[in-house]
Amino acid sequence: MHFATIFYVFAMLFVCAFAAPLQVRQETVSNVVCTSKTALDFHTSNVALLQICGGIAGSIEKCEGSPTSTVGKSGNVQFTIKPVVKGDTINISKGRWEQGIKAAFAVCGQNIPFTATFTGGATKGDVNVTYGSA
Ligand SMILES: *[C@@H]1O[C@H](CO)[C@@H](O)[C@H](O)[C@H]1NC(C)=O
Ligand SMILES: *[C@@H]1O[C@H](CO)[C@@H](O)[C@H](O)[C@H]1NC(C)=O
């Protein structure tokens, strides 16, 4: 019992000390507005979020092709990314895209529609993201 507790504490210290520096830059979100009280379908949403930028599934690790706006749609679920700076091009990795969505869900609830600003998602500035039913 005692040993297990001590082991746990050391394990957590280890995880904190070594995991943090290895992590990719954390995506931060702001202006989160929850736009509905009804959660959308979990699976459909996961498919839709990978349709952004013409598809970032599998080995594609970032939003490619520098689009100025993009939609990720599956069934009745839709994500859109739009740069805050006019004419700016989207430049966001899959990791940061998924982190930003998680951060917005942490505010609104899992799969609750939102609008939010993702910090630094474009070449010059931030991007506005909307998630909702199409
Ligand atoms: C981005 O979102 C912010 C906050 O909601 C808003 O003030 C701004 O007008 C939006 N910009 C664009 C280009 O949609
Ligand atoms: C896109 O972002 C990556 C990583 O942050 C950066 O190295 C690259 O230069 C950016 N591309 C453009 C066109 O800004």
Side-chain angles (χ1 to χ4, degrees), residues 1-15:
M1 186 76 178
H2 239 98
F3 179 76
T5 309
I6 289 163
F7 178 78
Y8 178 77
V9 167
F10 273 97
M12 287 318 287
L13 283 175
F14 182 84
V15 165

Side-chain angles (χ1 to χ4, degrees), residues 78-124:
Q78 183 170 305
F79 288 90
T80 64
I81 306 181
K82 202 171 127 195
V84 172
V85 177
K86 201 166 182 289
D88 200 359
T89 54
I90 298 161
N91 183 11
I92 192 165
S93 69
K94 186 175 354 191
R96 292 183 63 194
W97 169 236
E98 288 175 342
Q99 274 174 12
I101 292 167
K102 260 190 207 149
F105 285 164
V107 175
C108 294
Q110 184 68 38
N111 293 110
I112 295 292
F114 66 81
T115 63
T117 302
F118 286 19
T119 305
T123 304
K124 294 187 196 122

Side-chain angles (χ1 to χ4, degrees), residues 33-40 105 108-109 111-115 131-133:
V33 177
C34 314
T35 52
S36 167
K37 287 187 162 53
T38 310
L40 299 176
F105 285 164
C108 294
N111 293 110
I112 295 292
F114 66 81
T115 63
Y131 165 64
S133 50

Side-chain angles (χ1 to χ4, degrees), residues 11 19 46 48 53 61 75-76 84 87 103 110 112-113 132:
N46 286 345
C53 301
E61 284 302 325
N76 65 336
V84 172
Q110 184 68 38
I112 295 292

Side-chain angles (χ1 to χ4, degrees), residues 2-76:
H2 239 98
F3 179 76
T5 309
I6 289 163
F7 178 78
Y8 178 77
V9 167
F10 273 97
M12 287 318 287
L13 283 175
F14 182 84
V15 165
C16 293
F18 292 95
L22 290 177
Q23 244 174 18
V24 228
R25 194 155 53 109
Q26 197 75 23
E27 182 57 40
T28 55
V29 300
S30 58
N31 302 323
V32 179
V33 177
C34 314
T35 52
S36 167
K37 287 187 162 53
T38 310
L40 299 176
D41 182 69
F42 178 76
H43 176 73
T44 310
S45 300
N46 286 345
V47 174
L49 78 87
L50 291 174
Q51 301 307 312
I52 209 84
C53 301
I56 54 168
S59 61
I60 303 171
E61 284 302 325
K62 77 191 307 278
C63 184
E64 296 188 312
S66 300
T68 50
S69 77
T70 178
V71 170
K73 193 175 181 305
S74 176
N76 65 336

